[in-house]
Amino acid sequence: MHKQKRASAASGRVLPFIQDGDYFFEKGIKAYNRRDLYTAKKMFERAVTFQPEEPSFLCQLASTLAEIGEYEESNKYLLNALEQSGSDLSECHFFLANNFAHLGMYSDAEEHARLYIAIDPDGEFVDDTQELLDLISLETGSKSSNLPLSTEEELIKLHDEARQSIERGDLPLAQQQLKEIITNHPKFWAAYNNLALTHFYKSEFDEAMDVLQDVLDKNPGNLNALCNLAIFLFHLGMDEPGGKLVERLKTVHPMHPEHRYKLGNTFGLLEEHLYANKWLQSLRKSSFVYDPVTTHMLAVSYYALGQKDLSVKTWKKVIDLDPESHVAPFYLEKAQSDELTITGGDYQYRIPTNNQNKPKKDRQVKAMEHIQQVRKGLEKNKITHLILLRGNKNEEAYETLRDFCLRKEESLFVKEIAATIMLEHQPEKAVELQHDDARVEVNAPSEVISMALDVLLFVKEMGSALDEHVLFYWAEAIKFAETTGERIFDNQKAIAAAIDHLARKQKGRSTQKSVAEQYGITVSVLSLRIKKLIGWVNRNV
């Protein structure tokens, strides 16, 4: 180079330094070969800027984007390359298949995998493509219906717009966008999961659970839905069903990095640090190794497991990957001075706030308060008052009960209890209920409610307070019996013990063995009632 400069000076000529697409492409290839993928990405992007219609530039940029986890952006360039070259670049279909598989869009992945094999049956990636098809079959359990190729790019764009709406905090708009995607593409599961998240962020817990149940009904085993469900259950204080689901997730061994990431993130948020570390470590040979968020989560899991040196080393790597962020420096300083106490919230890539991680007990109390607000009419004083009126078979008590039945502001459930007690007192006399804007005549007491009132009285006699927790499970037991026709109130001791045990679990510790002994029943009989009641309570989960 030095000799070239002297030669040009001697001849009096100035040699121009030409920077074109080929120049940046070559620099990108060099960066790619030394695994400096972010530099390679920049170089390939500049090459495409100079020559936007060169398919080889587009493909190489797409390949690099895929390796650093930017699958949707990669697909845009691959589709562009196909458009520029017609169907000559069969490998574009192979790369698209892999990208869609990473995104969980298995029907699209399968379509492009089969297109690649059809176009180039002796191609370089045929064996890899067949393996990918086998993996898709394992992940889904069945073949998915394909989307027309012409809709893929538009679907990616719409979903990305919805996710951006979530990130901006515009949840109503995100819900509208996601519902539209689901209407047009009913097997695009990612939209369902994000819709569930928007409901959850808005404290629309029932709606969030309904969406997840819809996913799992249509696509059983959907890992993202199961992970979200586990997080929702624990956030709502439903530790027992949440714990069972977590144990189920511990037996899952996904092959795709996206699913391993989801498991690592979920276990971290749920403070299952050993399993979080296991799955986050498994991503070190994937494109996630270049992701600062994933690397931060790995550092958190190391620290939670007492591996301080590894956590410090890993946070230093986060700083290299994302030098402008303040997250890693914050955690690094706290870790080096032994001032960190890891909770699930620390797996989020942000500097924690003082109230970021509320104790589980607080979450349970908050969740139960929410449940009580949703199921109006179960206030302790009303039910207790009704039980007292049941024991006073006089005209004054009857008039008070009739007043309950005619109040518009009371819930239908409370009115049905009052009507049953009235008909127990005077079975020959029909009772009128105010329901919406009409009056309904009831001629016979509800057998289920009568038996349920006996059970509630039995719980009280066993020394338990008729608080909001007892009343919640008691009311759900009534709905279960009325809806399914199952006679769970026939064994009074068993269902009373189940209600009492579940209520105690919400307030602190309780064992099935101790409750079974107190009520004079076997653990197996108690366990059966608990499982039925929990299954009903979580019917929309």
Side-chain angles (χ1 to χ4, degrees), residues 275-326:
Y275 284 89
N277 183 264
K278 168 188 173 181
W279 290 115
L280 292 169
Q281 279 204 67
S282 75
L283 296 170
R284 289 185 298 180
K285 294 183 179 180
S286 72
S287 60
F288 281 96
V289 73
Y290 304 104
D291 178 33
V293 177
T294 308
T295 310
H296 164 74
M297 291 194 296
L298 180 60
V300 171
S301 69
Y302 278 136
Y303 193 89
L305 295 173
Q307 302 178 48
K308 177 181 174 181
D309 291 342
L310 275 175
S311 70
V312 168
K313 180 180 178 181
T314 309
W315 269 311
K316 288 180 179 178
K317 184 177 179 181
V318 177
I319 293 174
D320 292 337
L321 292 171
D322 191 6
E324 296 181 2
S325 173
H326 299 293

Side-chain angles (χ1 to χ4, degrees), residues 83-154:
E83 185 180 339
Q84 299 298 337
S85 64
S87 299
D88 295 339
L89 294 176
S90 60
E91 61 269 24
C92 283
H93 292 292
F94 171 73
F95 294 130
L96 281 164
N98 276 279
N99 286 352
F100 279 123
H102 281 297
L103 291 167
M105 299 167 65
Y106 297 119
S107 60
D108 303 88
E110 183 179 357
E111 177 177 344
H112 283 285
R114 297 194 183 283
L115 275 172
Y116 172 74
I117 292 175
I119 294 171
D120 197 358
D122 299 316
E124 178 185 355
F125 303 112
V126 167
D127 291 340
D128 293 325
T129 304
Q130 190 57 57
E131 183 179 349
L132 177 62
L133 286 169
D134 292 339
L135 287 172
I136 291 171
S137 178
L138 285 172
E139 292 285 352
T140 61
S142 61
K143 293 182 180 180
S144 303
S145 61
N146 295 329
L147 288 173
L149 187 61
S150 60
T151 69
E152 292 163 354
E153 188 172 4
E154 182 65 21

